[in-house]
Amino acid sequence: MIVDKIALILAIVGGLNWGSIGIFGFDLVAFLFGGSGSVVSRVVYTLVGLAAVWCISLLFRDTVAGKQH
């Protein structure tokens, strides 16, 4: 499902961003969008958070070879 892929991409972006904060002390989202308090950064952070919540549902889906039954 396309929503699953979008959610996974956003969750990966969030994970990579947190990794860069932890390892290098560098917040890429804040750097790209004008600081951690900017509206765009807050929207990105919110979308990443919502994507992570959506990805929780992936853990509980009963799938076989990519097909739900």
Side-chain angles (χ1 to χ4, degrees):
M1 184 185 328
I2 190 73
V3 175
D4 295 342
K5 289 184 181 184
I6 292 170
L8 283 171
I9 290 168
L10 286 169
I12 290 167
V13 166
L16 292 173
N17 192 56
W18 274 109
S20 73
I21 292 169
I23 295 169
F24 305 112
F26 181 72
D27 185 343
L28 182 62
V29 171
F31 175 77
L32 291 175
F33 299 114
S36 61
S38 75
V39 173
V40 178
S41 291
R42 291 175 54 104
V43 168
V44 171
Y45 296 141
T46 301
L47 290 174
V48 167
L50 291 172
V53 171
W54 182 268
C55 287
I56 292 170
S57 73
L58 299 177
L59 294 173
F60 302 103
R61 292 198 192 158
D62 186 21
T63 61
V64 175
K67 303 256 182 188
Q68 289 186 337
H69 54 135

